[in-house]
């Protein structure tokens, strides 16, 4: 069985369109303060463009865990 973890960060761009940043294999003890620091850097410095302008608002984050089991 294979298990993978992904950090999914949700944002909204200047036009109100959703934008998601997905990070594979985040560190085991990543917390909301770490995520907020990264999201603040992205939004404050206008580092990423969404569908309609720059990504401007952080909407939250989640850890997604996926288990893959081979069929036998």
């Amino acid at each position: 069985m294979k298990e993978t973890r992904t950090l999914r960060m949700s944002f909204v761009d200047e036009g109100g369109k959703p934008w998601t940043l997905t990070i594979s294999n985040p560190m085991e003890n990543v917390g909301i303060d770490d995520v907020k620091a990264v999201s603040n850097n992205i939004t404050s410095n206008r580092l990423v463009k969404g569908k309609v302008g720059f990504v401007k608002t952080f909407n939250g984050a989640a850890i997604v865990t996926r288990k893959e089991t081979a069929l036998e």
Side-chain angles (χ1 to χ4, degrees):
M1 179 170 35
K2 178 181 173 184
E3 184 173 305
T4 58
R5 294 176 69 237
T6 305
L7 171 62
R8 187 175 57 213
M9 299 171 62
S10 300
F11 296 85
V12 174
D13 67 17
E14 293 172 324
K17 300 287 184 182
W19 187 83
T20 302
L21 173 62
T22 303
I23 300 172
S24 299
N25 304 312
M27 61 186 197
E28 192 66 34
N29 59 348
V30 68
I32 191 65
D33 291 335
D34 301 317
V35 173
K36 284 183 178 179
V38 171
S39 67
N40 186 47
N41 192 23
I42 290 170
T43 57
S44 296
N45 294 306
R46 300 168 58 101
L47 297 178
V48 178
K49 280 192 175 180
K51 290 180 183 176
V52 184
F54 286 98
V55 170
K56 73 171 196 168
T57 305
F58 173 64
N59 278 346
I63 295 287
V64 177
T65 304
R66 179 178 169 209
K67 292 183 181 181
E68 184 177 320
T69 306
L71 296 175
E72 296 179 10

